[in-house]
Amino acid sequence: MAHIKFDSSKLSKFVHDNELGQMQALVTAADTELREGTGAGNDFRGFIDLPVDYDKDEFARIKAAAKKIQSDSEVFVAIGIGGSYLGARMAVDFLSHTFRNYEPGRKLPEVYFAGNSISGSYLADLIDMIGDRDFSLNVISKSGTTTEPSIAFRILKAKLIAKYGEAGAKGRIYATTDRAKGALKTESDAQGYEEFVVPDDIGGRYSVLSAVGLLPIAVAGGDIDELMHGAADARSEYSDADLSKNEAYQYAAYRNILYRKGYTTELLENYEPTLQYLSEWWKQLMGESEGKDEKGIYPSSANFSTDLHSLGQYIQEGLRNLMETVVWVEQPNHDLTIPVEAGSQDGLAYLENRKMSEVNRKAYEGVVLAHLDGGVPVMTVSIPKQDAYTLGYLIYFFEAAVAISGYLNGINPFNQPGVESYKRNMFALLGRPGYEEMTKELNARL
Ligand code: PA5
């Protein structure tokens, strides 16, 4: 039985009983493309077997490096963007105390992320935050040439060298990059940084279960054995093309049915603030995989109940192109009882002695029913709790779903050609050598 549960039972107003069955032939074909490598992007199917087929020696080195960083650093900075950032950020948030870096009694290093914007203010504040404390860097870039992390790395490396000297700094830089090529690989080889590999057959957005995600997660105290264990069990669970047995494929199929009926935007929702970055990771996974050839579901997100007070009106009554997927946590990390307050004026007497988890659940149930009434199809992925095993399982659920979803929609779910357009413009506008003609043309248009 699956460790997490996909619930489509509230879709009856939007999807006829026979429609899922009608998708079976298409899903079987998509599954064949995926598993036999006959589909587009077949060089990037490494995520399928990654939970069992990974470099065990490197995995041991990741754990050893994490231990070393935990013992010699008060602050750890993971530098990366997109697929080289969001998975680790998601997992650290998902698995930690809400205020991890300020948690009373915390023994492990503070964990920060850099290189995910071009904001000088952010980096300056981070440098201020590190202060004179001991720190280490993990620079993560598959290409080794991405502008944002490259700038952040250069600036933070200078701080590291200023504190520890050239030789000391080298022992505090961990580089996660391509096995054989790229600027970061060349520098790492030359400088002797400890290196970890982004496997050739795994794209950035599918890479959280490789060294890309595993080192930051392990430094933050996440149980990476359990993370892989959960993903491995999910791999077995979601290996059958039969829709009646495979809930990840059901999710893909329902999304596809709804998309073809005009539900072109999907909101991933949560009721736990520590799941906010799950949505950010999911948005890249879905958006970069599906948004091409002028089609694809637009992935968006909402954090509830927070956003019910800002986006709730639109979701309830705005343009009817929305579908929702809730990631619901059955057993929250902590619970509180609403206290009795004599003579209270706040109208909460009926909630006294009741648990916050009950109020949160009723909010979720009430929202689902309201949104269904408002014409929004709602699906739910229920997870038992927020632990590493469950997260590994959930990661695999979404990865399997989006790969099938991409093939159902007739696109390559593993490339991202569109990401280059803004980069070319930015390089030209910054005067990068080789872009001279483009620089003139773009400046004339500004
Ligand atoms: O998936 C993608 O292609 C992007 O989001 C990349 O992950 C991101 O640009 C970072 O790339 P790199 O790891 O090469 O620095």
Side-chain angles (χ1 to χ4, degrees), residues 8-56:
S8 57
S9 63
K10 300 291 185 291
L11 293 181
S12 52
K13 184 174 154 190
F14 308 93
V15 180
H16 297 297
D17 286 346
N18 56 348
E19 285 183 89
L20 187 68
Q22 288 169 353
M23 290 294 292
Q24 183 61 68
L26 293 172
V27 168
T28 303
D31 179 74
T32 303
E33 283 189 89
L34 181 65
R35 306 216 177 251
E36 294 184 6
T38 51
N42 54 8
D43 287 349
F44 286 93
R45 297 174 305 120
F47 83 93
I48 299 173
D49 293 327
L50 182 64
V52 290
D53 182 13
Y54 58 91
D55 181 339
K56 308 291 186 304

Side-chain angles (χ1 to χ4, degrees), residues 3-8 10 94 247 251 267-276 278-279 282 302-306 308 324-335 355-368 378-387 390-391 394 397-398:
H3 179 69
I4 64 177
K5 185 171 164 23
F6 172 66
D7 180 4
S8 57
K10 300 291 185 291
F94 185 99
E247 292 191 342
Y251 171 54
L267 298 170
L268 194 78
E269 294 163 353
N270 64 73
Y271 287 75
E272 292 292 341
T274 44
L275 267 60
Q276 189 174 339
L278 173 69
S279 297
W282 174 91
N303 304 301
F304 289 165
S305 65
T306 317
L308 291 168
E324 297 175 289
T325 300
V326 181
V327 178
W328 176 252
V329 181
E330 292 290 349
Q331 182 67 52
N333 289 338
H334 301 286
D335 209 350
K355 301 278 191 196
M356 282 190 74
S357 60
E358 183 195 351
V359 181
N360 210 17
R361 175 175 275 281
K362 294 303 158 194
Y364 154 61
E365 290 170 357
V367 169
V368 168
V378 186
M379 300 169 273
T380 295
V381 179
S382 294
I383 63 174
K385 56 185 170 177
Q386 285 178 240
D387 63 7
T390 301
L391 180 59
L394 187 61
F397 173 89
F398 283 127

Side-chain angles (χ1 to χ4, degrees), residues 79-86 115 140-150 176-178 184 198 203-207 212 284-285 288 414-417 419-420 422-423:
I79 302 171
I81 195 166
S84 294
Y85 157 57
L86 288 166
I140 309 164
S141 177
K142 183 171 188 179
S143 62
T145 54
T146 307
T147 308
E148 293 90 337
S150 297
T176 306
T177 190
D178 189 87
L184 180 56
V198 189
R205 58 189 176 275
Y206 294 86
S207 69
V212 171
Q284 184 192 359
L285 181 68
E288 217 171 70
F414 301 114
N415 66 355
Q416 55 283 331
V419 183
E420 296 309 312
Y422 96 87
K423 290 185 191 169

Side-chain angles (χ1 to χ4, degrees), residues 401-441:
V402 77
I404 288 300
S405 193
Y407 285 142
L408 285 177
N409 218 14
I411 53 88
N412 176 350
F414 301 114
N415 66 355
Q416 55 283 331
V419 183
E420 296 309 312
S421 299
Y422 96 87
K423 290 185 191 169
R424 282 196 299 274
N425 286 357
M426 183 177 74
F427 294 150
L429 291 170
L430 284 167
R432 183 168 168 169
Y435 286 75
E436 291 76 9
E437 276 310 304
M438 210 174 153
T439 307
K440 272 190 240 155
E441 190 244 319

Side-chain angles (χ1 to χ4, degrees), residues 20-279:
L20 187 68
Q22 288 169 353
M23 290 294 292
Q24 183 61 68
L26 293 172
V27 168
T28 303
D31 179 74
T32 303
E33 283 189 89
L34 181 65
R35 306 216 177 251
E36 294 184 6
T38 51
N42 54 8
D43 287 349
F44 286 93
R45 297 174 305 120
F47 83 93
I48 299 173
D49 293 327
L50 182 64
V52 290
D53 182 13
Y54 58 91
D55 181 339
K56 308 291 186 304
D57 293 337
E58 182 185 65
F59 194 80
R61 274 199 307 116
I62 289 171
K63 289 205 249 181
K67 272 213 171 78
K68 176 176 179 293
I69 294 165
Q70 288 168 348
S71 70
D72 70 8
S73 304
E74 295 162 89
V75 179
F76 169 76
V77 184
I79 302 171
I81 195 166
S84 294
Y85 157 57
L86 288 166
R89 177 77 190 261
M90 154 183 74
V92 172
D93 282 12
F94 185 99
L95 297 172
S96 305
H97 188 286
T98 304
F99 308 101
R100 185 189 179 285
N101 286 343
Y102 311 96
E103 183 183 358
R106 175 185 44 77
K107 301 230 170 20
L108 301 176
E110 290 173 19
V111 172
Y112 296 101
F113 294 89
N116 51 66
S117 76
I118 319 177
S119 165
S121 302
Y122 179 92
L123 210 52
D125 287 348
L126 178 60
I127 287 168
D128 189 34
M129 194 74 195
I130 297 170
D132 282 338
R133 295 183 295 165
D134 286 316
F135 72 108
S136 298
L137 304 177
N138 179 200
V139 54
I140 309 164
S141 177
K142 183 171 188 179
S143 62
T145 54
T146 307
T147 308
E148 293 90 337
S150 297
I151 293 173
F153 181 45
R154 187 182 280 210
I155 290 171
L156 289 166
K157 184 173 52 179
K159 180 175 169 62
L160 206 58
I161 291 170
K163 184 170 171 62
Y164 299 101
E166 293 267 357
K170 286 177 190 172
R172 289 176 172 272
I173 294 174
Y174 302 82
T176 306
T177 190
D178 189 87
R179 185 185 310 280
K181 60 182 188 303
L184 180 56
K185 171 68 181 161
T186 307
E187 176 176 337
S188 296
D189 285 352
Q191 298 296 328
Y193 306 150
E194 174 147 21
E195 290 180 27
F196 300 99
V197 169
V198 189
D200 297 339
D201 56 357
I202 293 183
R205 58 189 176 275
Y206 294 86
S207 69
V208 55
L209 299 175
S210 74
V212 171
L214 295 177
L215 180 57
I217 295 167
V219 172
D223 185 338
I224 60 173
D225 288 302
E226 277 302 285
L227 190 73
M228 298 305 277
H229 181 193
D233 284 356
R235 173 180 168 275
S236 307
E237 180 68 31
Y238 305 127
S239 61
D240 195 326
D242 184 341
L243 270 172
S244 67
K245 296 183 185 143
N246 189 328
E247 292 191 342
Y249 286 14
Q250 283 176 28
Y251 171 54
Y254 278 121
R255 292 173 81 249
N256 190 272
I257 293 168
L258 290 165
Y259 173 62
R260 286 187 282 103
K261 293 182 182 200
Y263 299 97
T264 54
T265 294
E266 180 181 11
L267 298 170
L268 194 78
E269 294 163 353
N270 64 73
Y271 287 75
E272 292 292 341
T274 44
L275 267 60
Q276 189 174 339
Y277 267 84
L278 173 69
S279 297

